[in-house]
């Protein structure tokens, strides 16, 4: 990818990531060593809060299956999008965020130039071939000065990296197993999405892609 006219250095503050723009850093394959431990942590979460296909306010069943861990979890229903302290399906608090996950998210944020990052919500998205996430902004959080950190595992997906209006033509970026994206500052409210997941078989995850997004929501 080329960035003509950029006003930033192409390296992240610690030098191991690729800076995509002023507030966005991509760390390729950063999680490859920890992938199995992360999947084990996800299994402990989904035992308490199984993946489910939420229904949007417009009445559409999402093709991506979701669950959450941490003090807050993201949900949507006919009434709207919001964060809640308990899982509406079980009526119990969301499962705690495994320390492994918050530690890995915190260190990636720090290496991208956001020290002292303490996420209180982790949304876990599960894609099967054909599942997609339409162009959207993440704006249900209280304070946009905190970055979003995302982990990608399993099958590769095409990430749509848009502008600040829905109509701005997005760039495309492949997100692969082990990739970490840290997204904050002036880029926090960019439109973004995921194209329909192609068929494929991943050695660890089979016909799946899992994405975790850490947020400071409350
Ligand atoms: C850019 N997830 O859960 S992660 C989401 O791969 C979401 O499942 C996608 O968008 C996925 O809301 C993309 C990368 C990402 C996450 C949050 C962002 C990019 C972002 C927030 C603001 C701007
Ligand atoms: Fe998003």
């Amino acid at each position: 990818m080329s960035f003509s006219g950029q006003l930033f250095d192409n390296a992240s503050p610690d030098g191991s990531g690729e800076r995509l723009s002023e507030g966005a850093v991509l760390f390729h394959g950063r999680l490859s060593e920890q992938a199995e431990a992360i999947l084990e942590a996800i299994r402990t979460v989904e035992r308490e809060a199984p993946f489910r296909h939420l229904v949007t306010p417009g009445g559409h069943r999402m093709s991506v299956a979701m669950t959450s861990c941490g003090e807050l979890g993201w949900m949507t229903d006919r009434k709207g999008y919001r964060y809640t302290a308990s899982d509406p399906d079980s009526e119990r608090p969301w499962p705690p965020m495994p320390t492994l996950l918050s530690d890995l998210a915190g260190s990636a944020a720090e290496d991208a130039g956001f020290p002292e990052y303490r996420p209180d919500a982790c949304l876990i998205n599960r894609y099967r071939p054909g599942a997609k996430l339409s162009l959207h902004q993440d704006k249900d959080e209280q304070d946009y000065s905190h970055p979003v950190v995302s982990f990608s595992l399993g099958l590769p997906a095409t990430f749509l990296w848009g502008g600040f209006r829905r109509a701005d033509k997005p760039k495309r970026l492949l997100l692969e197993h082990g990739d970490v994206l840290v997204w904050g500052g002036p880029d926090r409210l960019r439109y973004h999405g995921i194209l329909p997941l192609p068929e494929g078989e991943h050695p660890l995850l089979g016909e799946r892609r899992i994405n975790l997004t850490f947020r400071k929501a409350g």
Side-chain angles (χ1 to χ4, degrees):
M1 204 186 276
S2 78
F3 298 95
S4 51
Q6 63 189 21
L7 297 169
F8 47 86
D9 194 292
N10 205 269
S12 62
D14 86 321
S16 66
E18 177 190 357
R19 189 169 284 284
L20 303 178
S21 69
E22 203 180 326
V25 180
L26 174 61
F27 299 92
H28 285 287
R30 179 174 172 119
L31 304 168
S32 1
E33 304 279 295
Q34 291 102 333
E36 282 172 288
I38 295 169
L39 291 174
E40 191 51 47
I42 294 170
R43 282 191 283 271
T44 68
V45 170
E46 68 176 298
R47 274 199 289 270
E48 278 186 65
F51 285 98
R52 77 286 311 258
H53 293 270
L54 298 170
V55 176
T56 65
H60 300 285
R61 174 187 188 266
M62 296 185 75
S63 57
V64 176
M66 297 177 172
T67 187
S68 286
C69 60
E71 284 157 58
L72 295 170
W74 186 84
M75 63 156 299
T76 174
D77 58 17
R78 295 305 296 252
K79 288 183 274 176
Y81 306 103
R82 61 194 175 276
Y83 284 94
T84 59
S86 52
D87 177 349
D89 283 1
S90 69
E91 299 179 334
R92 287 182 317 225
W94 292 103
M97 195 183 305
T99 316
L100 170 73
L101 300 184
S102 45
D103 286 354
L104 289 170
S107 78
E110 179 163 4
D111 291 348
F114 299 96
E116 315 280 326
Y117 181 58
R118 301 263 181 285
D120 56 13
C122 173
L123 172 62
I124 311 176
N125 296 330
R126 186 190 68 200
Y127 297 75
R128 307 263 191 204
K132 66 176 172 70
L133 199 59
S134 306
L135 222 49
H136 67 278
Q137 291 171 297
D138 289 14
K139 53 176 189 184
D140 300 319
E141 300 74 27
Q142 306 259 349
D143 178 353
Y144 305 138
S145 70
H146 301 289
V148 174
V149 175
S150 113
F151 294 178
S152 290
L153 297 169
L155 291 176
T158 301
F159 176 64
L160 298 173
W161 192 63
F164 298 100
R165 289 169 307 182
R166 191 183 297 278
D168 295 340
K169 189 174 186 282
K171 294 178 191 178
R172 294 176 176 209
L173 188 74
L174 195 67
L175 290 181
E176 297 177 287
H177 180 72
D179 287 356
V180 175
L181 204 50
V182 179
W183 205 288
D187 295 299
R188 176 65 179 73
L189 288 174
R190 277 185 190 273
Y191 277 90
H192 59 279
I194 296 283
L195 287 185
L197 191 74
E199 297 282 343
E201 181 76 27
H202 185 273
L204 269 184
L205 279 126
E207 294 181 291
R208 289 182 299 167
R209 168 176 188 262
I210 289 189
N211 178 268
L212 300 92
T213 48
F214 300 85
R215 300 108 189 282
K216 175 84 183 77

